[in-house]
Amino acid sequence: MGMERVLRSQYSTVVFTSGSRKLRFNDTLLWLNGPTQKGSSSWTITRYDSEAMLDPLLRPSANVRGDDIATIVLDPGHGGSDSGAIGHRRVYEKKAVLDVAKRTRDILKAQGLSVRLTRESDYFIPLAKRTSLARQWGADLFISIHFNAAANSSVSGIETYVCSSPGFASTMGGRADPRTYKGNQFDKKNTLLGYYLHRGMLKQVKAIDRGIKHARFEVLRSAPCPAALLECGFITNKSEAARVISRQHRATLAKGIANGIMSYIAKTDS
Ligand SMILES: [Zn+2]
């Protein structure tokens, strides 16, 4: 366990842990690209984490003010021959995510937003096609929706992914990748989008907060706009799978996702 340092302002509380990438912002867990370093007289975080994570969290409006969010693309993961994870009680990821995406679309449309889905029914669609559709449709936000799976069935909770910054390994490990991808031009906005979506879901659904993580998933690397990928629970976990079967739970998740999007949009004109 590292030492903790708490920074408090009128609006926010930030908790750093020495030697760790763990960052607590208000009630939400985020993972920095690199660990917080405790020196003899000061603590430091990497420049990327300062500029692309901390700054947008502390000054959200300054980072998105004036952006016009006209078109939102929701991407239900998998489909067709790619069933995604198959969980307890034969919960199919591809079916559950499509339902959640449609419910999210309905809520956003009722708010007057223009929303498109990368797939409307159960068919296969390659990863590259998903972001090329988003580009073709002039997407202003891209959100990929998934359910999670783990070999260990006791694992549960919600996690949200945004694109890793250049030069860092992903949160789950692997090698540092020095390349800058298309998705990296939105690093600051990705952080905010991920944060509001993650918080939106966890405000609606009681679940373990596994945090906002970094990964170089293809849809995040090649997104033409701010993007996040949601893992809305583990269908390999008995009780989370049981919840996903419930229409009420999927509706609640959709409400959380829609609320997250609305929170992000609210910052563009505040
Ligand atoms: Zn998936």
Side-chain angles (χ1 to χ4, degrees):
M1 279 298 278
M3 282 172 66
E4 287 191 343
R5 275 285 176 277
V6 184
L7 299 184
R8 244 182 226 108
S9 77
Q10 187 183 350
Y11 305 106
S12 33
T13 303
V14 191
V15 183
F16 299 95
T17 304
S18 66
S20 167
R21 290 178 290 179
K22 207 178 253 195
L23 175 81
R24 267 204 177 277
F25 181 77
N26 295 337
D27 292 325
T28 304
L29 174 64
L30 296 102
W31 296 88
L32 297 165
N33 281 287
T36 301
Q37 308 280 1
K38 179 183 170 294
S40 52
S41 63
S42 63
W43 288 42
T44 51
I45 61 171
T46 70
R47 185 173 58 86
Y48 271 110
D49 286 327
S50 161
E51 289 176 3
M53 292 198 72
L54 210 49
D55 181 68
L57 291 169
L58 293 172
R59 306 184 308 130
S61 301
N63 282 281
V64 295
R65 190 183 290 125
D67 286 5
D68 182 23
I69 309 295
T71 302
I72 293 150
V73 171
L74 302 176
D75 174 45
H78 313 280
S81 57
D82 170 12
S83 51
I86 301 173
H88 271 279
R89 297 171 67 175
R90 298 196 61 75
V91 174
Y92 275 71
E93 181 184 359
K94 65 173 184 176
K95 290 183 188 165
V97 294
L98 181 60
D99 182 79
V100 171
K102 286 181 171 175
R103 290 174 188 277
T104 307
R105 173 185 61 190
D106 294 347
I107 298 168
L108 293 172
K109 278 200 157 172
Q111 302 282 332
L113 289 159
S114 156
V115 185
R116 299 193 74 160
L117 264 53
T118 53
R119 67 179 175 93
E120 299 267 350
S121 58
D122 185 16
Y123 52 85
F124 177 76
I125 168 167
L127 292 174
K129 175 85 177 168
R130 297 169 190 263
T131 47
S132 74
L133 281 174
R135 187 170 309 113
Q136 188 184 316
W137 293 336
D140 299 301
L141 297 176
F142 178 90
I143 294 128
S144 193
I145 303 173
H146 290 253
F147 282 97
N148 226 331
N152 178 351
S153 64
S154 68
V155 176
S156 73
I158 288 177
E159 53 193 27
T160 297
Y161 285 89
V162 295
C163 196
S164 316
S165 291
F168 295 94
S170 295
T171 306
M172 53 281 222
R175 282 203 295 172
D177 184 344
R179 285 171 289 185
T180 300
Y181 295 94
K182 210 167 284 165
N184 286 124
Q185 65 186 295
F186 311 107
D187 277 352
K188 288 171 162 233
K189 293 174 184 181
N190 293 341
T191 296
L192 278 178
L193 182 63
Y195 171 70
Y196 287 120
L197 284 164
H198 193 70
R199 204 188 61 165
M201 287 189 288
L202 284 168
K203 272 189 175 175
Q204 292 294 319
V205 172
K206 193 175 172 338
I208 289 175
D209 177 1
R210 296 175 57 86
I212 296 148
K213 300 181 170 183
H214 291 98
R216 292 183 180 85
F217 297 134
E218 180 164 347
V219 291
L220 299 179
R221 283 196 320 247
S222 58
C225 58
L229 184 145
L230 314 178
E231 292 283 3
C232 308
F234 284 76
I235 56 176
T236 44
N237 176 272
K238 232 177 188 169
S239 62
E240 288 202 329
R243 288 207 300 191
V244 174
I245 290 171
S246 144
R247 189 175 302 168
Q248 182 54 50
H249 178 75
R250 297 193 306 270
T252 307
L253 260 176
K255 186 166 195 301
I257 296 168
N259 285 349
I261 293 168
M262 299 306 294
S263 300
Y264 180 97
I265 293 173
K267 293 295 173 191
T268 64
D269 56 24
S270 64

